[in-house]
């Protein structure tokens, strides 16, 4: 499978990181206990529920994938998005607004949480190797490099049926970006913020989508960003030796090769207070 465990995650108001020893770090808003991860152990990957910034958004949840294929969750559970205790055989996890997705080792997908826009209608998906959650839509990559999408499509954020040769995919508020095997990026959805302006990107090895911005990493460890920069979330031009990125609603995280983490953007809830983190590494 092409699954690449995510060791960094950025939500609306919090940030999460998976350390080399399987423990988890979290900072930021914790009104719904989304940062209560101090007892987690043996974690391979993390995910954070993200949602666009608005007065009626903020509470979130955090998900952790353990090495035995079980899943942990903490935080806001108003729509059952944390009801994952019974999941088994999971190879990857993704978290969006009010929902959680789990990718099974056989390429099928589990879902928990809000489905008002059809974003959890993934039962028919097969041979999936990568997943991502936007606010109201869910996307995936099949083993043949084609893309899948369900949920709200009002800005054509689900118009991925023609995409081919994909290695990864990421969903934002109302846009979707895909990473092709040749290191080029494709995008669909709302273009008013510039989050879809990735046509010129080359040699990209990792990407992620925030609410209104997109970030990527090149093979040389340089960070790229495009889209809304009202909080400085795209100010990554001087980042170097980056191996992974995570885009939240209005902030961005970058993982250096030495296991330290850099951040930029909105820090109103101390979601960028990651300077002291170390040992954040792939399993």
């Amino acid at each position: 499978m092409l699954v690449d465990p995510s060791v960094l995650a950025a939500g609306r108001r919090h940030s999460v990181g998976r350390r080399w020893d399987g423990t988890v770090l979290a900072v930021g808003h914790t009104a719904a206990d989304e940062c209560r991860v101090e007892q987690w152990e043996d974690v391979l990957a993390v995910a954070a529920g993200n949602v666009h910034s608005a007065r009626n958004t903020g509470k979130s949840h955090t998900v952790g994938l353990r090495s035995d294929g079980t899943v942990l969750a903490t935080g806001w559970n108003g729509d059952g998005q944390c009801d994952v205790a019974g999941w088994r055989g999971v190879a990857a996890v993704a978290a969006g607004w009010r929902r959680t997705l789990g990718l099974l080792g056989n390429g099928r997908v589990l879902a928990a949480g809000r489905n008002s826009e059809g974003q959890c209608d993934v039962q028919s998906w097969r041979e999936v190797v990568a997943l991502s959650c936007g606010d109201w839509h869910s996307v995936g990559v099949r083993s043949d490099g084609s893309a899948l999408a369900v949920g709200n499509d009002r800005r054509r954020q689900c118009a991925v049926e023609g995409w081919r040769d994909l290695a990864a995919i990421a969903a934002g508020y109302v846009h979707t970006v895909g990473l092709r095997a040749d290191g080029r990026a494709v995008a669909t959805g709302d273009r008013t913020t510039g989050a879809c302006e990735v046509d010129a990107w080359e040699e990209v090895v990792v990407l992620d989508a925030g609410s209104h911005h997109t970030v990527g990493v090149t093979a040389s460890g340089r960070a790229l960003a495009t889209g809304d920069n009202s909080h400085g979330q795209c100010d990554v031009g001087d980042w170097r030796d980056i191996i992974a990125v995570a885009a939240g609603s209005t902030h961005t995280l970058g993982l250096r090769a030495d296991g330290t983490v850099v951040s930029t953007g909105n820090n109103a809830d101390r979601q960028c207070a990651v300077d002291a983190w170390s040992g954040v590494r792939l399993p």
Side-chain angles (χ1 to χ4, degrees):
M1 299 183 72
L2 296 176
V3 173
D4 180 16
S6 175
V7 296
L8 273 187
R12 161 78 165 86
R13 295 177 173 175
H14 77 297
S15 301
V16 187
R18 180 260 183 202
R19 299 192 71 239
W20 65 272
D21 60 356
T23 60
V24 179
L25 302 164
V27 292
H29 191 69
T30 190
D33 287 341
E34 54 265 73
C35 290
R36 294 295 303 272
V37 298
E38 58 274 2
Q39 300 300 316
W40 288 10
E41 297 178 342
D42 199 27
V43 172
L44 291 179
V46 292
N50 190 25
V51 62
H52 65 285
S53 299
R55 285 181 297 177
N56 65 336
T57 67
K59 292 186 295 184
S60 186
H61 70 297
T62 302
V63 181
L65 171 64
R66 302 185 70 214
S67 64
D68 63 359
T70 60
V71 180
L72 303 165
T74 185
W76 185 35
N77 196 33
D79 290 86
Q81 58 265 42
C82 291
D83 294 342
V84 297
W87 290 6
R88 298 289 185 274
V90 178
V93 289
W97 187 48
R98 302 188 179 190
R99 78 185 180 287
T100 303
L101 299 182
L103 174 58
L104 296 173
N106 62 6
R108 301 185 69 171
V109 180
L110 303 172
R114 176 182 170 125
N115 195 35
S116 300
E117 293 80 24
Q119 60 268 60
C120 286
D121 290 342
V122 296
Q123 295 85 354
S124 64
W125 288 9
R126 299 290 186 274
E127 300 181 356
V128 176
V129 295
L131 288 174
S132 182
C133 295
D135 277 28
W136 301 320
H137 71 298
S138 302
V139 294
V141 177
R142 290 194 191 99
S143 58
D144 64 0
S146 61
L148 297 159
V150 292
N152 188 300
D153 193 32
R154 64 190 180 99
R155 299 293 177 88
R156 290 187 56 76
Q157 61 264 44
C158 290
V160 300
E161 54 279 346
W163 290 4
R164 295 292 182 270
D165 199 28
L166 293 183
I169 200 164
Y173 173 30
V174 283
H175 79 289
T176 302
V177 291
L179 175 60
R180 296 193 330 208
D182 63 1
R184 303 295 296 268
V186 291
T188 186
D190 180 32
R191 293 186 173 271
T192 60
T193 65
C196 290
E197 302 302 319
V198 298
D199 295 344
W201 288 10
E202 296 180 342
E203 298 183 349
V204 178
V205 293
V206 177
L207 54 68
D208 197 20
S211 290
H212 299 289
H213 71 297
T214 302
V215 294
V217 180
T218 69
S220 64
R222 189 166 56 91
L224 306 169
T226 186
D228 177 56
N229 196 33
S230 56
H231 293 270
Q233 61 264 48
C234 290
D235 293 342
V236 302
D238 61 346
W239 290 5
R240 295 295 184 270
D241 298 320
I242 303 298
I243 60 172
V245 285
S249 179
T250 52
H251 75 293
T252 302
L253 305 176
L255 174 62
R256 292 195 189 103
D258 65 1
T260 60
V261 179
V262 290
S263 64
T264 187
N266 189 346
N267 194 34
D269 294 277
R270 293 188 55 77
Q271 61 265 54
C272 288
V274 297
D275 294 346
W277 287 11
S278 64
V280 179
R281 293 194 178 95
L282 290 169

